[in-house]
Amino acid sequence: MQLKQWFPFLAWPRLTLDLARNEMLAGVTVGLMLLPQGVAYAALAGMPLVTGIYAALLPSLVAVLWGASPRLGVGPTALTSLLIGASLAGMAEPGSAQWVTLAAWTAIMAGAVQWMLGALRSGWLVNLVTSPVLNGFTQAAGILILLSQLPDLLGLRSSWSALLSDPSWHHFDPWALLFGVGGLCGLLLLKRFAPRLPAAVLVVAICGAISAVVGFAEHDGHIVGHLPAGLPSLTVPSSISMDEVSRLLLPVLMISLVSFLEVASSAQVEHRLAGTRWNENQDLIAQGMAKVVAGFSGSFAISGSFSRSAVTLHSGAKTGWATVFAIAMVLITVLWLTPVLYHVPQAALAAVVVSAVVNLIQPRTLRALFRISRIEGAIALTTFVLTLATAPRLYWGVLTGVLLSLCHFLYQRLHPRILEISEHADGSLRGREIWNLAPIASHVLALRMDAEWDFASASALERYVTQTLQQRPEIQTVFLDAQPINRIDVTGVESFMRLRQSLQKQGISLHIGGLKLPVQEILERSGALVSGPDLQLSRTSAQALVAMRVSSATKKAL
C-alpha cells in the first residue's frame, strides 16, 4: 500500500487485450486533439511551436503517472499559456532563447510551489479562490486570448492602429483570412453537429492541404514551418538574474494557482462520476513534478485541460492508459511526422485556440451571480474589469478578487446573524421578526447566534445583549439557543465569562439550551460552567422551553 502511495500508477489495472483496445481508441481521440492544441498553445505562450509538442510528452506522462486523477486530460492549456505569455511580456522577445529560458524557470518555480503545497497537504488553499473570482478571471482571460489571436485569425498584415488610420482590405491577407475564419466556422460546426469527430485535426489537416496546394508559404503566408524532429534533451536552463527571479515571483504564484484550479475543475468531475474521493494533494504533487520536468525539457508549464478531460471521459477511457496512448501518438508525431505540419497556416492554429476558449466567455453567468448575491457579483465584475485593465499583468485581477472575497468573508464573520427567537406553532424556535411571533415570556430574552463563538463573533454577541437589555429593563432571563454554535475559542470563552458576570451583577439569569459537547467540554475545562443560581443548562431546546415556562409560572405565582 505504501508503494502505491508513492507510485500511484502501480494501482492501475494490468493491460488486457480488451482494455488495451478500449484505451487505445480513447487515447487516439485525445492525441488527435492534443497535437494541434499543443502547437497552438505554444504560440499563445510566445514559445517555439515545437515546445507545445514537447510539453505533451514527458511532462504529461509524469502528470498522469503520479496523479490521483488518471483520466485527467493533461498538457498545454489556453489559460496557463496565456498567463505565461503575459507574465514574460517585456522581459524578453517572444520565441527567443531568453524567453524560452524564462518560461522554463517559470515552469520549474511554479512546479516547486505546487509540489511543496502538495507535500505539506495544503491543497485546501485552492478554496481561497472563490467561484466569483474564478468566473470573472476566466471570462476576462477568454477575451484577452481572443484579442491576442485576432491578428492571426483575420490575417492582419499590419497593426490595428494602421488599420484604423487607413481602413483598407490591403491590410489583410485574403488566404489567411479564409483559413482563420473558415477554420473557426468549421470547428464550431463540427463541435455542434459531429462532436465525436476530432474537429481540430480535421480542420488543421484540411487547411494544411489547401495551403500546400495553393502555395500559401511561397506567397509569404504565415505557416508553422519547419519543426525540429526528435526528442528534447533534459538540461538545466541557463541561469537568470535575481531581478528576473523577483519579477517572476507573482506570475509563478498565479500560474501555480490558476493551473491547479484548471486541474480541480476537471478532476472533481472525474471523481464525482467514478464515485471516488479526490486526493487534491497527490494531484498537486503530480502537477508540480510535471512542471519541473517541463522546465528541464525546454518546454513550458502544463496543466489540466477541461476540454480534453471531457473528451477522455466521453470516449470511454477507463484508466490512465488512455493518456499514455495519447502521449505515444504525440511521440510518433515528433519523431517522424513533424514535416506534415509544415504547411499548416498560423491562422488555422488561431482558429483552434479561439474555438477552445470561446466557451469561457459567458456574460449570463455574471448576471446569475448578481441574482444570487450582489456583493459576490460585484467581486466577480471587479476581478473581470481589473484583469482586463491590468493586462498583461493578469495576476492583479485575481489577487484583488481574492482580497475582496476575504474581506467579505471577514465582514460576515465579524457581523454574525443574531436573532431574537420564540416558539413557533410547530414547536421549533424561530426568528420573532421573520415569523411575527410573540415573545416566550415578557421577562425572557431568547436569542440565537448562527455562528461560531470565537474572536470574530464574540464582541457582536456581547454588544447585542447589552443593547437589548438597555432597551428592555424588564428582562430577568437571557436564553441562548446554542445549537448552531459548534466551536468556541479562547476569546469566546472569555466573552462567555464576561457575559455571565455582567448578567449576574444585574440579577439576570442565563439559560443555555442545546450546548454541543465539544463546546461544553471547553467551557468546563476553563471553569466557565461552574454551577450557580444564575446559570441553567438544558440539553435540548424543548427542555429549555419547559424550564422557562416553569420559571415564568413561578415568578407569576410569587
Side-chain angles (χ1 to χ4, degrees), residues 80 84 102-118 248-260 284-293 295 300-302:
T80 301
I84 295 167
L102 291 170
W105 278 112
T106 300
I108 292 170
M109 292 165 66
V113 169
Q114 287 191 324
W115 185 91
M116 184 177 63
L117 290 176
L248 287 177
L249 288 179
L250 270 179
V252 160
L253 292 176
M254 188 54 53
I255 289 169
S256 303
L257 183 59
V258 173
S259 164
F260 194 62
L284 265 173
I285 291 172
Q287 290 291 317
M289 292 171 61
K291 286 179 174 61
V292 171
V293 170
F300 55 96
I302 69 166

Side-chain angles (χ1 to χ4, degrees), residues 509-550:
S509 61
L510 177 61
H511 197 143
I512 302 178
L515 193 64
K516 291 183 177 177
L517 190 58
V519 178
Q520 183 174 335
E521 288 177 346
I522 293 174
L523 289 171
E524 286 175 344
R525 286 201 302 268
S526 66
L529 289 184
V530 177
S531 59
D534 65 308
L535 178 65
Q536 186 171 353
L537 300 179
S538 297
R539 178 51 52 199
T540 66
S541 299
Q543 292 174 352
L545 285 173
V546 171
M548 280 187 289
R549 288 196 190 98
V550 171

Side-chain angles (χ1 to χ4, degrees), residues 450-464:
D450 295 333
E452 297 174 348
W453 200 338
D454 57 14
F455 70 95
S457 61
S459 61
L461 179 61
E462 290 184 70
R463 185 168 56 250
Y464 181 90

Side-chain angles (χ1 to χ4, degrees), residues 83-97:
L83 284 170
I84 295 167
S87 301
L88 302 183
M91 297 181 68
E93 185 68 24
S96 65

